[in-house]
Amino acid sequence: MRTRLTLTATLALAALGSAHAATTLTVFMGSQQRPEIFQPIFDRFEKQNPNVRIKIETGGATSEAQNQYLTTVLAAKDNTLDLFLIDVVRTATFAAAGWAEPLDAYLPSKDTYLKAFLPGPVAAASVGGKLYAMPAFTDAQFLYYRKDLLEKYKAKVPKTWDELAATAARIQKAEGGSLQGFNFQGAPIEGTVCNFLEMTWTGGGSVGDVTGPAAKQGLGFLVNAVKTKLAPAASAEMKTDDSRQQFQAGNVLFGLNWSYAWAHFQGNSPQPTKVKGDVGVAALPAFGKNASATCTGGWEWGLNAYSRNKATAVKLLQFMSSNDVQREMAVKGAYLPVRKSLYNDKAVLAANPHFKALYPIVTKARPRPVTPAYPRVSEIIRNNVSAAVAGSKSVDAALNDMKRDLEPLLK
């Protein structure tokens, strides 16, 4: 009898212990997402949830390298990862493959909950009306300009692309030397896709009509900028960080780039800066009376469809998108928040004064085509744009080839 009681008690204690066993959430992110910013936030979540442990797994220095790793893991239906950070352009691919769990069932008041978020990141995280990811932080492309040079020549920040070209040509001529009037990305990279879309959108066009007048005007502007020496001869090889470094070195009047460039221009950079205090940031110009437009960038949290800890993982996602955490990421990491209210937050603006100027721009940011075939869509656009900028294809030939290859993918 005593033996049976002891066994029963042992089993009861074991059951009690297993009921309180910690759940370990494994979170994957790239090294360039700066895990050191996330670790203290995860530590705080663990303190608030004593039965949860969070393990960070890092890998891949680029979006492409991270995607390759995740594709391998998730294609094998591996459940070891619970959450992963993905580039905003990957949502539809992960949704179509069945790798990202839709979050709608976990957010009973989804529409109300998402009203506090910027529309661009939400649109980029959604496919077919379902939310397949939780926006983590956002980004967009902006027009950076030299305040000192505009003041010197009593020039205004351009509202149209024609104004930009005229102002740049005038100041280039007066300054002489090697000053670039306009710097954009023309290499076969993702930034070039955004430059082309922005040119098309600001002309009133869309990616569904790449042989229409707006796309011709937009690509024609980029090609002409090189021909007229407004932009450098090597623009077809210009990558995002090349643009950043050339602006930072004092060689550029107007440049297109993402939010990360700002900190570099202010001196928080491995390379010296010659433009600290002389840089302004504005919305992209437009053609005629059309509205400004920019690409949504940034990253979002995906929930592994094969995870065994989905409810707990969603709890962490909601914590990461909360006001307090978004504020901390903005203050300590200069991440652009996904919550609208933080662009008026005193602590955020004290750390990042330029965020107030960026808010009207990021609120209007537009997603790139949302399709499972996006990797191929991107390749078609960037290769043709780069060829036109290099002069190896005419604008019409590049756009006709683009239309032919995009049509079956964007139906």
Side-chain angles (χ1 to χ4, degrees):
M1 187 71 174
R2 180 177 296 176
T3 304
R4 288 187 63 189
L5 278 171
T6 304
L7 181 61
T8 303
T10 301
L11 290 171
L13 285 168
L16 188 64
S18 63
H20 290 83
T23 298
T24 298
L25 295 177
T26 303
V27 178
F28 175 82
M29 64 179 67
S31 53
Q32 92 274 28
Q33 266 93 50
R34 297 152 74 196
E36 70 276 6
I37 300 290
F38 288 85
Q39 187 64 63
I41 298 171
F42 290 156
D43 291 345
R44 196 159 71 250
F45 182 83
E46 288 181 349
K47 283 184 180 178
Q48 293 176 14
N49 300 272
N51 292 331
V52 179
R53 298 287 175 269
I54 300 169
K55 175 187 168 189
I56 298 178
E57 184 176 321
T58 56
T62 66
S63 169
E64 288 75 19
Q66 291 159 44
N67 185 59
Q68 188 175 20
Y69 171 74
L70 287 173
T71 297
T72 303
V73 170
L74 299 173
K77 299 185 178 180
D78 194 314
N79 63 14
T80 52
L81 299 180
D82 296 292
L83 297 168
F84 39 78
L85 271 179
I86 53 173
D87 195 316
V88 292
V89 298
R90 309 210 183 274
T91 318
T93 305
F94 277 57
W99 298 336
E101 177 85 359
L103 302 177
D104 304 63
Y106 300 92
L107 301 170
S109 305
K110 183 188 80 168
D111 293 341
T112 304
Y113 177 73
L114 293 175
K115 278 181 182 175
F117 289 66
L118 295 167
V122 172
S126 304
V127 180
K130 287 186 176 182
L131 188 71
Y132 277 91
M134 183 73 77
F137 50 92
T138 192
D139 206 350
Q141 284 196 324
F142 308 99
L143 179 70
Y144 288 96
Y145 61 90
R146 287 281 298 279
K147 292 191 297 184
D148 56 329
L149 289 175
L150 293 191
E151 288 168 10
K152 180 178 176 180
Y153 294 99
K154 296 180 172 55
K156 294 179 180 178
V157 179
K159 300 287 187 187
T160 69
W161 292 112
D162 289 341
E163 286 173 7
L164 181 146
T167 299
R170 177 164 71 88
I171 294 177
Q172 266 185 307
K173 186 177 179 181
E175 285 288 299
S178 59
L179 181 70
Q180 299 171 23
F182 178 50
N183 184 292
F184 66 94
Q185 290 85 61
I189 60 165
E190 197 59 38
T192 298
V193 176
C194 286
N195 285 183
F196 170 72
L197 291 174
E198 288 155 354
M199 286 286 167
T200 301
W201 292 337
T202 56
S206 73
V207 73
D209 187 17
V210 293
T211 54
K216 284 186 182 181
Q217 177 180 235
L219 184 54
F221 183 89
L222 298 179
V223 170
N224 197 51
V226 177
K227 285 182 178 176
T228 60
K229 299 184 179 177
L230 200 68
S235 290
E237 299 166 17
M238 191 73 63
K239 297 177 183 176
T240 305
D241 212 48
D242 300 332
S243 294
R244 188 270 298 174
Q245 291 187 43
Q246 292 190 18
F247 193 106
Q248 190 171 327
N251 300 331
V252 179
L253 175 62
F254 295 114
L256 302 185
N257 221 312
W258 301 89
S259 64
Y260 88 103
W262 176 269
H264 287 275
F265 299 157
Q266 304 312 308
N268 183 14
S269 177
Q271 297 90 12
T273 180
K274 293 186 178 178
V275 297
K276 185 176 180 179
D278 291 331
V279 182
V281 61
L284 270 55
F287 289 102
K289 294 183 179 179
N290 287 294
S292 175
T294 185
C295 260
T296 299
W299 292 72
E300 56 197 21
W301 293 109
L303 171 61
N304 186 354
Y306 310 112
S307 167
R308 293 175 179 172
N309 306 304
K310 291 176 184 173
T312 307
V314 171
K315 190 176 180 181
L316 176 58
L317 292 192
Q318 289 179 287
F319 176 77
M320 294 304 295
S321 62
S322 68
N323 245 28
D324 287 348
V325 170
Q326 285 281 304
R327 180 186 295 109
E328 182 173 337
M329 289 178 62
V331 170
K332 294 184 178 176
Y335 292 102
L336 282 169
V338 294
R339 286 183 173 268
K340 302 172 191 174
S341 63
L342 291 173
Y343 289 84
N344 282 316
D345 185 272
K346 287 182 181 178
V348 171
L349 293 178
N352 308 282
H354 61 297
F355 275 19
K356 197 169 187 71
L358 301 188
Y359 178 70
I361 305 170
V362 296
T363 54
K364 295 174 183 173
R366 295 168 62 168
R368 281 155 274 180
V370 178
T371 166
Y374 183 77
R376 177 66 182 137
V377 168
S378 173
E379 182 183 22
I380 292 163
I381 295 174
R382 65 184 187 239
N383 287 346
N384 280 291
V385 171
S386 189
V389 171
S392 59
K393 278 188 184 182
S394 69
V395 169
D396 283 345
L399 293 175
N400 285 333
D401 288 352
M402 198 185 292
K403 180 181 180 180
R404 178 197 66 214
D405 294 338
L406 286 177
E407 273 189 341
L409 300 174
L410 297 179
K411 282 182 179 177

